[in-house]
Amino acid sequence: MSGEIEAAGDALTGGVIAGAVERESRDGAHGKSAQGHGACANCGAALTGTFCAQCGQAAHLHRSLGSLGHDILHGVFHFEGKIWRTLPELVFRPGRLTRRYIDGQRASFVSPMALFLFCVFLTFAVFSYTGGALLNTGSNSTGDMKSGLQKEVKVADERLKTIDRLQRSPATSKDTQAKLTKERAELTDEKRRLELLLAGDMNGLIQTKSSGEVLKADNFQVELGNEQLNTAVKNGLLKASSNPSLLIYKLKSNGYKYSWALIPLSIPFLWLLFFWRRDIHLYDHAIFATYSISFMLLLIVATTLVIVLGVPSGTATFALIVLPPIHMYKQLRGTYALSRTGAAVRLFFLLNFTFIVLAIFAVLLVLLGLTG
């Protein structure tokens, strides 16, 4: 129940923040307009209409709980209709949406950053609620692995029983006894590791070492060109080995907080695709990247939810493989006015650049998790 409340809270927070970024806090607690008189409560300028001509604040200031609720819902759902104009364009005509926003049609659509923020909050809210269903799509493989581990434990048990019988036998020589003792110790350790893996006890699995060696920071070989960074990463690896769940938590938390970094990481690679064109600016690439990442997050949310609803994981995986390139192709064509061949060639490079950006982002998250 707490996970559901937390997920709902994340989505609600995302909507409110997105609404704040949009800067659309219109007045009228219930959508009513009011002619202003006197001075603006914010900047003191004389009011001549519904909104202040100087700072844009509404003339009428509501102070009711009902209007506060309306503001929250407005922030989440954009009752004015912007979100419902933006989402269909983002899904089916991403290139046209990006081009229209770049060209100045901004009042009709949710801004890229506001949409991105809401998508980030929504993604992590859904993951919190579903427990990362998308990451557990290989349920059959997991079941097969568990069955295999159980069989290995059974085989180890049978071999240990055989060793017991041989060691109790008077006919067994001293050399054979020594070999059996060594094999028994190794097999006992292996069985223990299999049982920990079967139980999902990663802490115990990492701490269990057949040699009995105590894990120290110096056991990790790290060379990043900076002694302080090497030491920080080594200590982080030591902490992660003793408490892997903490590292996983840090990775999730940092992914949540620093997801915005995907945008600046993407811009240089998009620039490489069009560096000779004077009519394209870095701002255009930023809008392209922000809308594109927002779509990918929404796609992850959608596939996660359909898996929870019972759609085969194979179908969801297929969608995650096929739909992103199609979306990128359409967005490239529409945003940069490319021919089919030009868009296809750039799509090839963009897909490779995407893997590079994700790899850089993943490395940064790991470093933050280990040194934080």
Side-chain angles (χ1 to χ4, degrees):
M1 185 64 182
S2 60
E4 297 175 8
I5 295 174
E6 182 179 355
D10 285 342
L12 184 62
T13 304
V16 172
I17 291 180
V21 172
E22 261 315 91
R23 301 176 64 90
E24 288 184 349
S25 190
R26 295 278 188 270
D27 179 55
H30 306 286
K32 297 178 181 179
S33 61
Q35 189 70 21
H37 300 284
C40 173
N42 181 57
C43 68
L47 293 170
T48 58
T50 306
F51 296 93
C52 176
Q54 188 70 26
C55 68
Q57 177 166 292
H60 174 70
L61 301 177
H62 57 72
R63 295 182 63 179
S64 68
L65 290 177
S67 58
L68 177 61
H70 174 273
D71 284 350
I72 294 175
L73 291 175
H74 172 74
V76 176
F77 297 107
H78 292 280
F79 280 154
E80 290 175 324
K82 273 194 174 186
I83 193 68
W84 309 120
R85 285 193 296 269
T86 304
L87 287 181
E89 289 284 305
L90 178 66
V91 174
F92 300 108
R93 292 175 291 274
R96 190 173 78 171
L97 170 65
T98 308
R99 187 73 261 163
R100 290 173 70 179
Y101 193 87
I102 291 171
D103 288 343
Q105 297 183 36
R106 314 221 172 139
S108 300
F109 304 107
V110 177
S111 70
M113 186 53 65
L115 183 63
F116 172 77
L117 287 174
F118 180 73
C119 290
V120 168
F121 277 94
L122 182 63
T123 301
F124 283 90
V126 169
F127 266 57
S128 298
Y129 180 78
T130 62
L134 184 61
L135 303 178
N136 301 320
T137 54
S139 56
N140 292 335
S141 300
T142 303
D144 293 341
M145 183 182 72
K146 185 175 181 180
S147 177
L149 289 173
Q150 290 173 337
K151 289 179 181 178
E152 290 186 45
V153 170
K154 187 175 181 181
V155 170
D157 275 332
E158 294 297 328
R159 179 57 185 167
L160 285 171
K161 291 178 182 178
T162 301
I163 291 174
D164 283 342
R165 287 197 297 270
L166 291 174
Q167 287 185 318
R168 287 196 298 267
S169 173
T172 304
S173 66
K174 291 184 178 181
D175 289 341
T176 303
Q177 287 281 6
K179 292 178 180 179
L180 289 173
T181 300
K182 182 179 179 181
E183 182 183 356
R184 179 185 180 83
E186 293 175 350
L187 198 57
T188 300
D189 282 339
E190 180 63 21
K191 179 187 173 185
R192 174 60 178 162
R193 283 192 288 271
L194 289 171
E195 289 173 339
L196 289 170
L197 188 58
L198 191 61
D201 185 358
M202 299 306 296
N203 289 337
L205 183 64
I206 292 173
Q207 292 171 358
T208 300
K209 299 178 66 68
S210 58
S211 63
E213 178 185 358
V214 177
L215 203 58
K216 299 179 181 179
D218 292 338
N219 295 131
F220 300 102
Q221 300 299 319
V222 178
E223 185 52 57
L224 298 175
N226 182 282
E227 189 59 33
Q228 290 183 337
L229 184 58
N230 291 342
T231 302
V233 171
K234 285 181 180 180
N235 291 331
L237 288 171
L238 180 60
K239 293 178 182 178
S241 65
S242 61
N243 189 3
S245 59
L246 177 60
L247 176 61
I248 293 173
Y249 171 79
K250 287 184 177 180
L251 290 176
K252 289 181 179 179
S253 178
N254 288 333
Y256 182 62
K257 290 189 294 185
Y258 298 107
S259 55
W260 56 266
L262 289 168
I263 299 171
L265 285 174
S266 301
I267 292 175
F269 293 100
L270 286 167
W271 175 82
L272 287 174
L273 298 176
F274 302 96
F275 67 89
W276 62 91
R277 285 183 54 174
R278 299 289 183 87
D279 60 321
I280 298 177
H281 306 282
L282 292 179
Y283 175 83
D284 303 352
H285 301 321
I287 300 302
F288 180 98
T290 308
Y291 272 139
S292 182
I293 295 171
S294 296
F295 170 81
M296 301 307 166
L297 292 174
L298 289 176
L299 180 61
I300 291 172
V301 168
T303 50
T304 301
L305 292 177
V306 297
I307 288 173
V308 172
L309 293 175
V311 174
S313 59
T315 303
T317 303
F318 178 78
L320 284 175
I321 294 173
V322 172
L323 293 182
I326 294 175
H327 190 270
M328 288 180 180
Y329 172 81
K330 295 181 69 174
Q331 191 174 8
L332 281 169
R333 282 205 69 190
T335 302
Y336 302 109
L338 300 173
S339 65
R340 292 181 179 178
T341 302
V345 171
R346 286 174 175 80
L347 174 63
F348 171 78
F349 288 104
L350 184 57
L351 289 173
N352 286 279
F353 291 158
T354 299
F355 288 117
I356 294 173
V357 168
L358 291 176
I360 295 172
F361 185 65
V363 170
L364 292 175
L365 289 184
V366 172
L367 288 176
L368 286 170
L370 292 176
T371 59

